């Protein structure tokens, strides 16, 4: 699980902690979930989202893309892949 989580993070240029409600909205909009989120205890919702959408919600708080306390304590994350960061 840790290897898979590191691979997901390695593909992200930016990361945002978001509310669980916002994560459900993003998922309903069709943004892809990272499967590794379900393998973490407690489970996390990790979505790949373009920068314009990830930073939009009022609940969004940018955190470093690293295995840090801020990232690991979040129940929902919006990751901005490198190829999506420019728009």
């Amino acid at each position: 699980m840790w290897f898979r989580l590191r691979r997901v993070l390695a593909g992200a240029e930016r990361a945002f902690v978001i509310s669980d409600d916002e994560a459900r909205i993003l998922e309903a909009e069709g943004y892809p979930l990272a499967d590794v989120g379900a393998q973490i205890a407690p489970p996390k919702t990790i979505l790949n989202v373009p920068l314009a959408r990830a930073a939009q919600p009022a609940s969004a708080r940018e955190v470093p893309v690293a295995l840090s306390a801020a990232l690991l304590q979040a129940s929902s994350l919006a990751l901005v892949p490198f190829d999506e960061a420019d728009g």
Side-chain angles (χ1 to χ4, degrees):
M1 183 280 303
W2 290 109
F3 177 75
R4 288 185 297 278
L5 179 58
R6 283 193 306 264
R7 286 199 61 173
V8 168
L9 294 177
E13 182 172 0
R14 297 173 75 176
F16 293 86
V17 173
I18 57 173
S19 70
D20 294 340
D21 290 338
E22 185 62 29
R24 283 188 285 278
I25 291 168
L26 292 171
E27 186 177 0
E29 290 176 9
Y31 293 106
L33 280 169
D35 294 337
V36 71
Q39 299 167 0
I40 300 169
K44 298 184 181 315
T45 302
I46 303 173
L47 298 125
N48 288 308
V49 182
L51 178 58
R53 186 64 179 96
Q56 189 177 31
S59 70
R61 179 175 52 88
E62 191 164 7
V63 294
V65 181
L67 291 175
S68 64
L71 189 133
L72 293 173
Q73 290 173 349
S75 60
S76 296
L77 296 165
L79 301 181
V80 179
F82 279 102
D83 60 346
E84 295 286 337
D86 294 326

